[in-house]
């Protein structure tokens, strides 16, 4: 089979591999149908702290079951079309035993520390696959993993429909969050802040109305989805009393913010992190299926060769020129 492998930071190759095989009763061999490109894949090429090199990247994928072990057979059939939750917790560490599976100390992250979906076949555990609703378009189904992370973020933001909300960053995550807040959660006042002209233009094409480089407003809930230090620091200044800031964007590992300690006390501000997707994959697929027209057009770039994919991962093609790219097989 053909695929892309990142041998180490800055080292990427397109090559032929042996097709992987299942060896355990819990394992499932999946033929990948499509896999989304995520910022994490690009960070992985640049060097990511929790990665294990060499690794085949890609963690946002949909595929068909080709073969599986005995345990998996109790729940799935050969030919089932499934979306993959890339994160498999250990169920035994202190965090897992407290029910915080997304914070597992021994987490397997497909496409980061175990081979992922940027190859024709991959092996996953039956605990991390979810049947895709019948007939759901690939370009929508492939959004299951990012949407599952967004649902976790929204739940952490304890959002009410009458909250005034700001989303910082109009990349694919910011746009998906805007769509979900307005259409699924019925939030009436959702604003998006973005500094990149091309991204503003793309968001407007996708029907995002309230988008601007800055606002002279204050907000009840802010989703920081750009990972920028400036976005984080400014958020705290424009939060209403009792407001919630959800840090969703991947920040630099060595970045430290300057924040006003007194305002956190006096205004009862809340700063909350949101990391991956504890048991939100089923909800994500349900939302994508029930509201599928809302998500059409978000995947606006189809990659057909591993060579083009590697140019994107290496940063040779600007990712701001499109909203969401997927590799199709
Ligand atoms: Zn991702
Ligand atoms: Zn664990």
């Amino acid at each position: 089979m053909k695929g892309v492998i990142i041998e180490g930071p800055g080292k990427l190759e397109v090559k032929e591999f042996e097709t992987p095989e299942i060896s355990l009763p819990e394992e499932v061999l999946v033929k990948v149908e499509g896999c989304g490109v995520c910022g994490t894949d690009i960070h992985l090429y640049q060097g990511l702290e929790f990665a294990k090199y060499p690794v085949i990247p890609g963690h946002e994928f949909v595929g068909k079951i080709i073969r599986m072990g005995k345990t998996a057979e109790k729940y799935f059939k050969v030919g089932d079309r499934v979306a993959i939750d890339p994160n498999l917790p250990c169920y035994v560490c202190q965090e897992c035993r407290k029910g915080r599976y997304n914070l597992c100390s021994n987490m397997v992250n497909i496409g980061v520390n175990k081979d992922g979906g940027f190859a024709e076949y991959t092996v996953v555990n039956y605990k991390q696959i979810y049947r895709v609703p019948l007939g759901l378009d690939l370009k929508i189904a492939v959004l299951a993993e990012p949407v599952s992370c967004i649902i976790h973020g929204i739940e952490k933001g304890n959002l009410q429909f009458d909250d005034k909300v700001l989303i910082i960053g109009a990349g694919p995550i910011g746009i998906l969050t805007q769509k979900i807040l307005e259409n699924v959660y019925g939030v009436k006042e959702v604003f998006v802040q973005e500094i990149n002209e091309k991204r503003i233009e793309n968001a407007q094409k996708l029907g995002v109305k309230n988008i601007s480089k800055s606002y002279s407003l204050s907000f009840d809930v802010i989703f920081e989805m750009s990972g920028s230090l400036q976005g984080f620091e400014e958020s705290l200044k424009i939060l209403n009393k009792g407001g919630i800031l959800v840090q969703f964007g991947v920040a630099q590992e060595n970045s430290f913010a300057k924040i006003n300690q007194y305002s956190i006390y006096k205004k009862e501000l809340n700063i909350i992190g949101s990391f991956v997707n504890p048991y939100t994959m089923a909800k994500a697929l349900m939302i994508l299926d029930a509201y599928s027209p809302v998500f059409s057009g978000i995947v606006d770039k189809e990659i057909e060769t591993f060579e083009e994919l590697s140019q994107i991962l290496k940063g040779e093609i600007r990712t701001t020129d499109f909203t969401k790219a997927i590799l199709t097989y």
Side-chain angles (χ1 to χ4, degrees):
M1 67 164 188
K2 206 172 175 186
V4 161
I5 190 159
I6 300 179
E7 308 272 4
K11 277 190 233 154
L12 184 149
E13 254 189 284
V14 176
K15 63 181 198 188
E16 279 292 330
F17 299 89
E18 279 213 11
T19 303
E21 228 356 298
I22 53 166
S23 54
L24 299 169
E26 296 196 346
E27 285 180 338
V28 178
L29 179 67
V30 172
K31 182 168 193 327
V32 183
E33 189 187 336
C35 182
V37 180
C38 172
T40 302
D41 299 311
I42 294 163
H43 288 154
L44 192 65
Y45 172 73
Q46 292 163 347
L48 191 69
E49 181 239 345
F50 59 104
K52 196 169 144 202
Y53 300 101
V55 69
I56 297 172
H59 58 270
E60 301 178 0
F61 59 102
V62 167
K64 255 197 185 122
I65 298 181
I66 299 293
R67 256 192 294 288
M68 64 190 141
K70 278 267 170 284
T71 313
E73 275 174 5
K74 286 186 214 160
Y75 304 90
F76 297 96
K77 291 194 306 293
V78 167
D80 277 353
R81 192 176 182 228
V82 291
I84 283 78
D85 177 353
N87 309 306
L88 183 65
C90 75
Y91 302 102
V92 187
C93 73
Q94 187 176 298
E95 291 78 14
C96 281
R97 295 223 153 150
K98 285 189 170 186
R100 298 175 190 145
Y101 298 106
N102 59 321
L103 303 178
C104 171
S105 299
N106 309 305
M107 187 99 91
V108 173
N109 307 98
I110 287 191
V112 176
N113 54 33
K114 185 176 183 293
D115 288 342
F118 285 139
E120 289 170 79
Y121 295 88
T122 191
V123 169
V124 299
N125 190 295
Y126 80 108
K127 288 178 185 151
Q128 55 194 142
I129 59 179
Y130 292 75
R131 243 179 238 106
V132 173
L134 218 60
L136 191 61
D137 189 273
L138 174 65
K139 286 185 188 167
I140 309 272
V142 84
L143 300 170
E145 193 272 344
V147 167
S148 71
C149 296
I150 288 167
I151 294 167
H152 179 55
I154 291 173
E155 289 175 352
K156 295 221 70 171
N158 189 28
L159 212 84
Q160 310 298 313
F161 82 95
D162 58 346
D163 280 338
K164 190 181 277 185
V165 180
L166 178 67
I167 295 164
I168 299 181
I173 291 292
I175 290 176
L176 280 168
T177 304
Q178 189 270 353
K179 298 274 175 199
I180 293 168
L181 289 179
E182 274 193 4
N183 296 282
V184 182
Y185 287 78
V187 181
K188 300 291 172 223
E189 294 184 285
V190 185
F191 298 80
V192 181
Q193 187 173 307
E194 172 60 59
I195 48 172
N196 183 288
E197 298 280 359
K198 187 73 192 152
R199 284 216 151 138
I200 293 176
E201 200 184 299
N202 288 347
Q204 282 167 335
K205 269 191 220 151
L206 287 165
V208 176
K209 284 184 206 83
N210 296 328
I211 183 161
S212 171
K213 288 187 176 170
S214 67
Y215 292 98
S216 49
L217 297 169
S218 61
F219 300 92
D220 302 306
V221 182
I222 300 179
F223 293 96
E224 201 303 302
M225 298 182 136
S226 72
S228 87
L229 186 58
Q230 198 190 353
F232 176 83
E233 287 178 338
E234 279 178 11
S235 295
L236 287 164
K237 295 180 195 153
I238 54 172
L239 264 187
N240 286 335
K241 288 179 180 173
I244 300 173
L245 166 61
V246 180
Q247 181 58 49
F248 188 103
V250 185
Q252 297 276 330
E253 284 162 29
N254 58 357
S255 106
F256 293 88
K258 201 168 175 199
I259 58 179
N260 182 256
Q261 189 181 2
Y262 181 77
S263 70
I264 293 174
Y265 151 74
K266 188 69 197 310
K267 291 163 81 178
E268 283 201 345
L269 301 182
N270 303 278
I271 303 171
I272 294 174
S274 178
F275 181 66
V276 302
N277 56 348
Y279 292 102
T280 45
M281 280 291 287
K283 281 185 192 173
L285 284 163
M286 188 182 271
I287 288 175
L288 291 169
D289 189 36
Y291 298 85
S292 58
V294 163
F295 301 99
S296 90
I298 291 183
V299 169
D300 53 356
K301 166 106 182 134
E302 267 188 81
I303 309 163
E304 276 159 18
T305 65
F306 288 108
E307 287 70 23
E308 192 184 3
L309 171 69
S310 49
Q311 284 181 301
I312 292 179
L313 299 181
K314 286 178 178 171
E316 293 165 6
I317 296 176
R318 266 184 315 181
T319 53
T320 47
D321 288 351
F322 43 84
T323 300
K324 186 77 180 172
I326 66 167
L327 176 72
T328 52
Y329 292 80

